[in-house]
Amino acid sequence: MAISQMQKVNIIGVKSQCPDVVSFLESLNIIQINHIGQAQAKKHKDFLKPVQTNLDQFKKELSELQSTIDFLSHFGQKTGFISSLMGSKILLSADEFKKTVLGFDYREIHKTCTLIQQELHKTEREIGVLHAQYNQLIPWKPLSLSLDTFNITETIKYAFLTETTGKFAYFKTHMSKKFPLLHCEKASSYQETENIVAIYFRDQEKEILSECKKLGVERVDLFNLKGTVDSNLERISIELERLKLKHKTLREDVSELTPHSGKLKVAYDYFLSLNHRTSLQNKFLESNETFLLGGWLKKDDVKKFEKQISARFPESSVIKVVPAKGEKAPIYLENKPIFKPFETVTDLYGTPANTSLDPTPFMAPFFFLFFGLCLTDAGYGLILSTIAILGLSTIAYTPGIKRFFKLILYVGISTIICGVFTGGWFGIDAEKLPIFLQKTVIFNPLKDSMQFFMIALALGFIQLYWGILIKAYNCVKSGDFAGAIFDQIPWLIIMPSLLLLTMGKSMGTSQQIITVSKWTALAGAAVIILFFGRDQKNPIMRVLSGTIIGCLWLGKDIVGNILSYSRLMALGLSTAVIALVANKLAGIALGISIPGVNILLAIIVLFMLHSLNFLVNSLGAYVHSSRLQYVEFFPYFFASGGEQFDPLTKNTKYTIIK
């Protein structure tokens, strides 16, 4: 119903104008470019060949820009939560975009950043090494002898050892017994370590170190340093200070480059667009002088499109093409503005198949109402609406974001309406509300939960009935009259008949109508039993199929699906109860006999619990309202699997072109 009719077209033009034509199509944002099919390529193979473009230069430019942007991002100002959530897009006009790119040479910035980055990494490595040396040396600070003293000779070796067991005496005794010619002296104690100098003959080194390892004593490398430990520590400290100062200066140099981040991002998007446009040409065919591209656009746009192309590129022509057998057009949903925001819900499920209906207008009223019933608090609805209005007026730059915030505004309004009629105002007891608000209350979910339950089931009944009706319509539209008459219409008779049979008396229905309902229900069931399995040749199998699958199984599904709508009541009650509890706890906090503290505590309790209730149940309302569409409603008539229409548009990462 809301799926647009699409037209396949080819554009043939002068080869030298190809980049300009693609750029123009990009600015129109109404045509989806497709790969020229093999059939067409084969048809024109004598004078047209596939275009092959070289993207290496663009990839190099993009790589350099991305690395520079990433590097500078570590030194710029921290973005706030909302900015980081929205990606901090740069909003500018097409002219500003062009002027920025033309007047800016990113290469000098990239070159400087690369040099500074290399120097920073080198400095950080040197600082790391010196820190390791310093930490290694500090336990040996009491060792007053110059480290040159421990020079290795042809027969004697020295080793610096450290152990953390606190049993140096045992270690010395043990080693002396095993290696009588070994001499050990404790040089220092530092924190939990004992530091030892060992002197031994070179030919015993392997056995001695092996035994040390068994006892948990590790060898320490003092880097073949010269001079005393103290002098080395002093030298390292001076060197560290110098390197830290250098590191600070380098960071300051980078900070001076961060104002160029915006221009770098614009330049990145410029090359990204160029790369996209150029890579797109690989879908075209070309000869020495001409090019051929193919795509889809809405039938309503074809005439306007032809005029635009002929006015801008008189040498180019737009040719309408009949799709090949089995070729499917992309799907473009075209709903009225009031339903447009609900396409967000449909998109999350999938794109309708070419033979299916767009479910958006059919489910929109239900989603609107279900969300409000799940939240049932006018105060929370006001917050949602305020957030949506703020979002629409500040950060809704793209159609997708604008559509999302409009949906939030709609469900916020729905929540306000449901809250007004159920007396939900930040969990305040309905009886304590002002008189004019009390008069708007139709039922109180906390006191009339059974009524809420029945309303939820009634809405489920109505939506499923609506779904079967749409399915019957779709069967007729697609020429499946038997499916409409024998599979769908009987349920449209059985459902209200069974409702009157089971609840007719409590609704005050006359006995005559109830009796008629019994016969209409039986008639509907008889049609399903006899004709649901009409593909079966065996009459027994046909009746069994109609009875078991057509009646019992599908009947069980319908009852189960209707009961699933009871979640509307459960979510609505949970929001009201949690809000009420938050107010009660705040009241208890207010009763604490410490002036000032009790008010502060009550405010904290109110803020935290209401915020939590608002966030969790808003999310729950969205998820479960969607779930009722996806699982209970859509299966009656909706089939996904279509290819979403993807018009050629400027491909950007950091900017939004107004």
Side-chain angles (χ1 to χ4, degrees):
M1 184 175 280
I3 297 177
S4 287
Q5 294 290 313
M6 306 300 287
Q7 175 65 55
K8 186 176 181 183
V9 296
N10 280 351
I11 300 174
I12 188 163
V14 179
K15 187 176 175 181
S16 60
Q17 293 180 342
C18 184
D20 294 332
V21 171
V22 176
S23 179
F24 182 64
L25 296 180
E26 188 182 75
S27 67
L28 292 179
N29 193 23
I30 60 171
I31 182 170
Q32 173 179 312
I33 303 298
N34 279 16
H35 208 291
I36 290 287
Q38 289 188 351
Q40 288 199 59
K42 193 174 179 182
K43 183 180 175 184
H44 304 298
K45 66 178 182 180
D46 293 336
F47 57 95
L48 289 174
K49 61 182 181 181
V51 175
Q52 291 184 337
T53 57
N54 188 348
L55 303 173
D56 292 346
Q57 183 59 32
F58 295 131
K59 288 179 181 175
K60 178 175 176 291
E61 309 266 13
L62 287 171
S63 174
E64 289 178 353
L65 279 162
Q66 187 65 70
S67 64
T68 310
I69 291 167
D70 291 343
F71 176 63
L72 290 180
S73 69
H74 299 297
F75 300 89
Q77 291 182 346
K78 299 290 181 187
T79 56
F81 173 73
I82 297 294
S83 297
S84 60
L85 190 68
M86 303 309 297
S88 300
K89 295 269 188 179
I90 300 169
L91 185 66
L92 69 175
S93 67
D95 282 345
E96 289 170 333
F97 184 86
K98 194 174 179 180
K99 284 179 184 175
T100 304
V101 172
L102 293 176
F104 176 65
D105 183 7
Y106 83 90
R107 291 176 184 81
E108 194 60 35
I109 305 292
H110 168 71
K111 188 178 174 184
T112 308
C113 282
T114 304
L115 290 174
I116 294 177
Q117 188 176 20
Q118 289 171 351
E119 199 61 28
L120 270 172
H121 287 166
K122 182 185 171 190
T123 308
E124 286 165 0
R125 279 197 304 274
E126 289 175 353
I127 289 174
V129 170
L130 287 176
H131 269 301
Q133 287 186 0
Y134 189 90
N135 292 332
Q136 196 88 298
L137 278 174
I138 195 72
W140 299 87
K141 190 174 170 59
L143 188 65
S144 57
L145 292 173
S146 172
L147 295 173
D148 304 89
T149 309
F150 305 98
N151 284 335
I152 300 168
T153 67
E154 289 184 0
T155 54
I156 302 296
K157 284 200 74 174
Y158 299 90
F160 298 100
L161 307 172
T162 183
E163 64 96 18
T164 57
T165 61
K167 295 178 180 177
F168 169 69
Y170 168 76
F171 169 75
K172 186 174 181 179
T173 307
H174 176 83
M175 295 298 283
S176 298
K177 285 181 182 176
K178 199 151 188 174
F179 306 99
L181 297 177
L182 170 72
H183 180 72
C184 294
E185 284 297 333
K186 184 163 78 173
S188 67
S189 295
Y190 182 76
Q191 295 179 347
E192 295 179 352
T193 63
E194 289 182 314
N195 305 293
I196 307 158
V197 177
I199 307 168
Y200 51 84
F201 283 101
R202 179 183 290 272
D203 55 0
Q204 289 184 317
E205 181 175 40
K206 189 174 179 182
E207 292 81 4
I208 289 171
L209 293 180
S210 175
E211 191 64 23
C212 288
K213 197 170 183 180
K214 288 178 186 174
L215 296 172
V217 177
E218 297 293 335
R219 186 175 186 179
V220 179
D221 184 3
L222 293 186
F223 320 108
N224 297 320
L225 297 172
K226 295 179 179 177
T228 62
V229 174
D230 256 346
S231 66
N232 277 287
L233 287 172
E234 186 180 350
R235 175 186 58 78
I236 291 172
S237 296
I238 294 169
E239 188 64 12
L240 275 173
E241 285 301 316
R242 186 188 69 79
L243 288 173
K244 285 177 181 176
L245 184 62
K246 180 182 176 185
H247 192 264
K248 184 183 174 187
T249 306
L250 287 169
R251 289 181 67 89
E252 288 172 353
D253 291 343
V254 181
S255 297
E256 290 178 5
L257 295 173
T258 54
H260 295 288
S261 293
K263 289 182 179 179
L264 287 166
K265 289 176 180 177
V266 175
Y268 181 91
D269 278 356
Y270 171 75
F271 285 108
L272 190 65
S273 288
L274 276 181
N275 182 64
H276 182 234
R277 288 204 294 267
T278 308
S279 65
L280 200 66
Q281 293 175 37
N282 289 328
K283 296 180 178 181
F284 304 171
L285 297 178
E286 66 177 2
S287 66
N288 290 335
E289 300 296 336
T290 61
F291 72 91
L292 176 70
L293 68 86
W296 291 87
L297 71 162
K298 288 194 295 175
K299 275 191 175 176
D300 294 344
D301 291 337
V302 173
K303 285 187 179 177
K304 182 183 170 187
F305 181 69
E306 287 174 331
K307 287 181 182 176
Q308 288 172 320
I309 290 294
S310 61
R312 185 72 179 265
F313 303 100
E315 299 85 357
S316 299
S317 295
V318 179
I319 305 162
K320 293 179 185 175
V321 178
V322 178
K325 189 177 180 181
E327 188 176 10
K328 293 178 181 175
I331 302 295
Y332 180 82
L333 303 183
E334 192 168 30
N335 289 292
K336 292 183 177 177
I338 194 169
F339 295 128
K340 201 74 181 167
F342 294 93
E343 288 178 5
T344 305
V345 182
T346 304
D347 287 345
L348 284 175
Y349 185 80
T351 305
N354 295 72
T355 54
S356 182
L357 295 169
D358 174 15
T360 307
F362 302 118
M363 64 83 180
F366 292 100
F367 187 90
F368 176 82
L369 182 58
F370 292 171
F371 190 99
L373 285 174
C374 287
L375 213 51
T376 55
D377 192 296
Y380 292 171
L382 283 170
I383 295 174
L384 269 179
S385 302
T386 305
I387 292 171
I389 291 169
L390 285 173
L392 283 169
S393 58
T394 54
I395 54 176
Y397 301 128
T398 62
I401 297 174
K402 192 177 290 185
R403 204 174 57 176
F404 173 74
F405 277 115
K406 280 188 178 177
L407 180 65
I408 298 299
L409 179 61
Y410 282 6
V411 296
I413 293 169
S414 165
T415 306
I416 294 171
I417 295 170
C418 291
V420 168
F421 290 137
T422 57
W425 289 93
F426 292 113
I428 298 170
D429 192 336
E431 294 176 356
K432 295 179 181 176
L433 290 171
I435 298 299
F436 73 96
L437 289 179
Q438 288 187 32
K439 287 181 179 177
T440 62
V441 178
I442 296 175
F443 75 95
N444 185 335
L446 295 174
K447 293 183 178 176
D448 307 313
S449 53
M450 184 50 70
Q451 190 178 348
F452 199 177
F453 180 67
M454 296 307 294
I455 289 172
L457 296 189
L459 287 170
F461 181 92
I462 293 168
Q463 190 176 31
L464 295 192
Y465 195 84
W466 180 229
I468 295 171
L469 195 63
I470 297 167
K471 175 68 175 175
Y473 163 78
N474 205 20
C475 286
V476 173
K477 187 184 171 191
S478 60
D480 183 14
F481 296 103
I485 295 170
F486 299 129
D487 299 340
Q488 309 307 323
I489 292 177
W491 280 112
L492 297 176
I493 297 170
I494 291 171
M495 285 177 68
S497 300
L498 288 178
L499 181 67
L500 288 171
L501 272 174
T502 54
M503 303 186 68
K505 284 186 179 176
S506 58
M507 293 191 296
T509 309
S510 70
Q511 186 57 44
Q512 285 181 324
I513 294 177
I514 294 174
T515 305
V516 171
S517 301
K518 181 176 72 176
W519 290 109
T520 53
L522 287 173
V527 171
I528 293 175
I529 290 169
L530 292 174
F531 296 103
F532 181 82
R534 54 190 175 278
D535 294 335
Q536 299 283 347
K537 292 182 179 177
N538 186 320
I540 296 174
M541 292 300 295
R542 180 172 176 169
V543 171
L544 284 176
S545 173
T547 305
I548 297 172
I549 301 175
C551 273
L552 298 178
W553 188 261
L554 293 180
K556 183 265 300 177
D557 274 355
I558 290 173
V559 173
N561 288 342
I562 290 174
L563 288 175
S564 181
Y565 285 76
S566 60
R567 70 188 63 237
L568 297 175
M569 178 207 69
L571 286 163
L573 277 178
S574 71
T575 309
V577 169
I578 295 171
L580 186 67
V581 170
N583 294 345
K584 294 280 184 190
L585 290 175
I588 293 171
L590 207 56
I592 295 173
S593 56
I594 306 175
V597 174
N598 55 351
I599 296 174
L600 181 64
L601 195 59
I603 291 171
I604 292 172
V605 168
L606 280 175
F607 177 77
M608 290 183 67
L609 291 184
H610 275 292
S611 297
L612 186 67
N613 194 25
F614 170 74
L615 291 172
V616 171
N617 282 302
S618 295
L619 182 63
Y622 189 92
V623 170
H624 286 280
S625 298
S626 300
R627 193 255 187 212
L628 287 174
Q629 313 309 318
Y630 299 156
V631 180
E632 271 76 26
F633 184 52
F634 283 3
Y636 286 95
F637 66 94
F638 177 58
S640 63
E643 177 199 347
Q644 193 169 35
F645 180 65
D646 183 20
L648 176 61
T649 186
K650 192 174 280 294
N651 189 15
T652 61
K653 182 178 179 180
Y654 296 110
T655 58
I656 296 173
I657 311 298
K658 290 187 281 188

